[in-house]
Amino acid sequence: MSTYRSLYSFRIEHEYFEDSNGNALMCSVLPSAQKLMTQRGLLFRQTDENEWTILYDTENAGLDTESDIIEFRVLMSEPAFVFYTEWQNFNPMVAYQIDLPIGKSEVNATDVITEIGVKRSFGIPFCTIMIHLTKELWQAAKKDVPLKNTLIFKTPERFWEYVFICQNTNREISSECLKLETDKEILTFRLQR
């Protein structure tokens, strides 16, 4: 019976959501990569709501650390993703790519995403993750300290202006009468006249 261990894992997080990526992005193995994974004795599993892991068979695994690359497609399952994500120059008409693993364990996702110049059409994912099965990645897994990267999408900062209109013009509103409450107490404002 085969024993599988973690070879590499990656997470996709978003600051907009408190504990996860809110299922805004989904990853799956491209069919061409599935064939390579079968040949190499690798499995791909979603291990958390926003985390995916490549597992290797400890008895039958063998990688070509010079050329093996596993491709994953990343699909946006939530159309509003682009509205709550800080991503300058995002173009929904082109495809993007991320090359992993990277040197840092956590990184701003938009800093490592590159435009690949392919015009998106039906069936082309918005982003492809390319996992390079390097010698470093393989050695870390064999030492039972597999590499892991976390891609973090940031939330854009916005300036909101609230205008309070008093319907009773005979009564003046004092700043003590106005209150804005949030669940995390992260919003503050001051009264300007």
Side-chain angles (χ1 to χ4, degrees):
M1 188 164 150
S2 297
T3 303
Y4 285 88
R5 292 212 168 121
S6 177
L7 175 64
Y8 173 76
S9 59
F10 65 94
R11 293 177 60 82
I12 300 176
E13 296 181 356
H14 202 301
E15 289 180 338
Y16 185 77
F17 300 100
E18 190 171 321
D19 295 324
S20 70
N21 75 345
N23 294 324
L25 300 174
M26 298 183 316
C27 291
S28 61
V29 180
L30 287 171
S32 58
Q34 186 60 56
K35 183 178 178 183
L36 175 65
M37 291 180 69
T38 301
Q39 291 171 348
R40 302 292 189 238
L42 303 174
L43 298 175
F44 178 67
R45 296 290 183 260
Q46 185 167 356
T47 51
D48 200 353
E49 183 179 25
N50 57 338
E51 182 175 293
W52 296 268
T53 301
I54 298 172
L55 303 164
Y56 72 98
D57 182 346
T58 58
E59 297 167 17
N60 297 316
L63 305 179
D64 181 349
T65 58
E66 298 295 319
S67 64
D68 282 353
I69 299 173
I70 301 174
E71 296 179 61
F72 300 91
R73 73 176 143 231
V74 181
L75 301 172
M76 275 188 216
S77 58
E78 187 175 321
F81 177 81
V82 295
F83 297 118
Y84 55 76
T85 303
E86 178 66 40
W87 190 341
Q88 292 185 353
N89 303 321
F90 172 73
N91 183 349
M93 300 306 295
V94 299
Y96 293 89
Q97 178 175 306
I98 301 173
D99 289 297
L100 295 175
I102 49 178
K104 299 177 184 177
S105 62
E106 290 187 357
V107 67
N108 183 348
T110 58
D111 289 346
V112 295
I113 292 178
T114 57
E115 188 177 314
I116 58 173
V118 175
K119 187 174 181 178
R120 281 187 62 214
S121 60
F122 184 75
I124 296 178
F126 104 91
C127 184
T128 302
I129 293 179
M130 310 285 279
I131 307 231
H132 300 263
L133 302 179
T134 63
K135 190 174 185 178
E136 175 190 34
L137 184 141
W138 180 236
Q139 289 174 344
K142 285 173 45 175
K143 292 178 185 173
D144 209 21
V145 284
L147 298 179
K148 180 178 182 178
N149 289 125
T150 302
L151 305 168
I152 303 170
F153 285 94
K154 304 286 185 178
T155 305
E157 290 186 11
R158 300 283 189 244
F159 177 78
W160 289 84
E161 182 175 281
Y162 293 89
V163 178
F164 296 94
I165 300 171
C166 182
Q167 291 182 350
N168 184 351
T169 56
N170 297 331
R171 183 173 168 222
E172 186 170 320
I173 298 176
S174 69
S175 60
E176 293 81 34
C177 295
L178 299 175
K179 185 177 184 181
L180 178 65
E181 293 182 332
T182 63
D183 61 341
K184 293 183 181 179
E185 300 294 327
I186 57 174
L187 296 177
T188 60
F189 72 96
R190 62 182 182 280
L191 186 63
Q192 292 182 349
R193 295 183 188 260

